[in-house]
Amino acid sequence: MLAKRIITCLDIKDGRTVKGVNFVDLRDAGDPVELAAIYSEEGADELVFLDISATEQKRKTLAELVYKVGERINIPFTVGGGISSVADVDILLQNGADKVSINSSAVKNPQLINDLVAKFGSQCIVVAIDAKQINGNWIVHLVGGKVPTELNLFDWAKEVEERGAGEILFTSMDNDGTKDGFANEALAKLSTSLKIPIIASGGAGNMQHFTDTFVDGKADAALAASVFHFKEIKIKDLKEELQEKGIPVRL
């Protein structure tokens, strides 16, 4: 079995790391460059950097900040926010990103996934999907969760895979920031119906939640923010506990 990955997430707004609940009520969580360096040293497997206001404000991800983070870490680094073209990705990869994450732009222009995969390879392209349950159906949302679409999570995820994306980062908006656990039922459905890795996001509150999402949710990786930002869980302790429970991780 492949090692399960622990991914730390830096949501960036106006150059600072922020964290909210259900995508709102954002509070400051520190300097992204310093936090990235700490997580790299503490044993995170990967880092995800999301400029959460880039799409909303119609501007590009802060390439300069990406460069500063890239200089300080030695783990794979995914960057997202406001990416809508091959040129955008080129700039980010040149500034130190290993992978890019696209979300709203992929829904608005699905061909973008194919174009990016053709130019940079599947391993470089992560499609992020933010979804929440509406009348029992998982509905995809855009622009930082503000705009609902008519897309069903599972249908869209299947199309994303068919277009060549290397991974899916699924965030349950219902679980985000609640610390009540990941959306494991939806994650398990994604993981069993698709061949590409699924990253679980939204809901981490304690170490058991990580175990649950790897076992029940069948996730390939688990992403969290606030439990790491506010020192509620140490990555080393988390990995040791996962290993004790028979879940393969890189120590």
Side-chain angles (χ1 to χ4, degrees):
M1 188 188 293
L2 287 174
K4 302 293 188 179
R5 290 170 288 150
I6 301 299
I7 302 176
T8 56
C9 182
L10 303 180
D11 289 331
I12 310 296
K13 185 175 172 65
D14 304 324
R16 296 287 292 179
T17 308
V18 295
K19 187 58 196 152
V21 176
N22 304 129
F23 285 42
V24 295
D25 298 330
L26 302 177
R27 61 174 171 152
D28 190 271
D31 176 74
V33 180
E34 295 306 318
L35 280 173
I38 289 167
Y39 294 143
S40 181
E41 290 164 11
E42 288 183 349
D45 295 300
E46 295 186 27
L47 177 74
V48 171
F49 173 112
L50 298 175
D51 190 353
I52 60 172
S53 55
T55 300
E56 184 183 357
Q57 297 175 6
K58 302 290 190 289
R59 62 176 168 73
K60 304 305 178 195
T61 304
L62 303 173
E64 187 180 335
L65 192 53
V66 170
Y67 180 79
K68 289 177 181 173
V69 170
E71 280 196 310
R72 296 286 299 276
I73 66 175
N74 57 7
I75 55 176
F77 177 29
T78 301
V79 179
I83 297 169
S84 58
S85 69
V86 167
D88 291 343
V89 175
D90 236 346
I91 290 168
L92 293 170
L93 296 181
Q94 287 174 24
N95 278 276
D98 298 291
K99 297 187 265 189
V100 295
S101 170
I102 55 174
N103 188 337
S104 298
S105 60
V107 172
K108 293 172 184 172
N109 174 24
Q111 180 61 34
L112 178 63
I113 303 170
N114 303 65
D115 294 346
L116 294 179
V117 168
K119 170 86 181 193
F120 304 106
S122 289
Q123 80 291 339
C124 194
I125 308 305
V126 180
V127 174
I129 304 177
D130 300 331
K132 68 188 294 186
Q133 290 197 73
I134 298 176
N135 298 324
N137 294 312
W138 283 96
I139 302 299
V140 175
H141 283 60
L142 306 183
V143 194
K146 294 179 175 63
V147 180
T149 69
E150 294 183 356
L151 285 174
N152 171 275
L153 163 65
F154 306 104
D155 295 339
W156 174 232
K158 187 67 181 169
E159 181 176 342
V160 163
E161 179 181 58
E162 288 169 351
R163 288 181 178 275
E167 286 185 289
I168 287 173
L169 167 55
F170 164 53
T171 300
S172 164
M173 295 172 60
D174 298 322
N175 298 58
D176 177 69
T178 62
K179 299 187 180 176
D180 290 333
F182 295 93
N184 292 323
E185 193 175 326
L187 282 159
K189 187 172 177 180
L190 286 170
S191 295
T192 52
S193 62
L194 304 178
K195 295 184 178 68
I196 59 176
I198 306 297
I199 303 167
S201 169
N206 58 48
M207 293 193 198
Q208 184 61 42
H209 291 153
F210 288 87
T211 298
D212 292 343
T213 203
F214 290 136
V215 175
D216 301 332
K218 300 179 173 25
D220 298 279
L223 176 148
S226 56
V227 290
F228 299 137
H229 297 342
F230 303 116
K231 315 294 185 209
E232 293 161 37
I233 296 177
K234 289 184 177 177
I235 295 167
K236 183 172 180 288
D237 295 345
L238 171 60
K239 285 190 165 188
E240 287 174 352
E241 172 149 325
L242 289 169
Q243 189 176 56
E244 283 175 15
K245 292 187 174 178
I247 296 167
V249 291
R250 296 185 194 91
L251 284 173

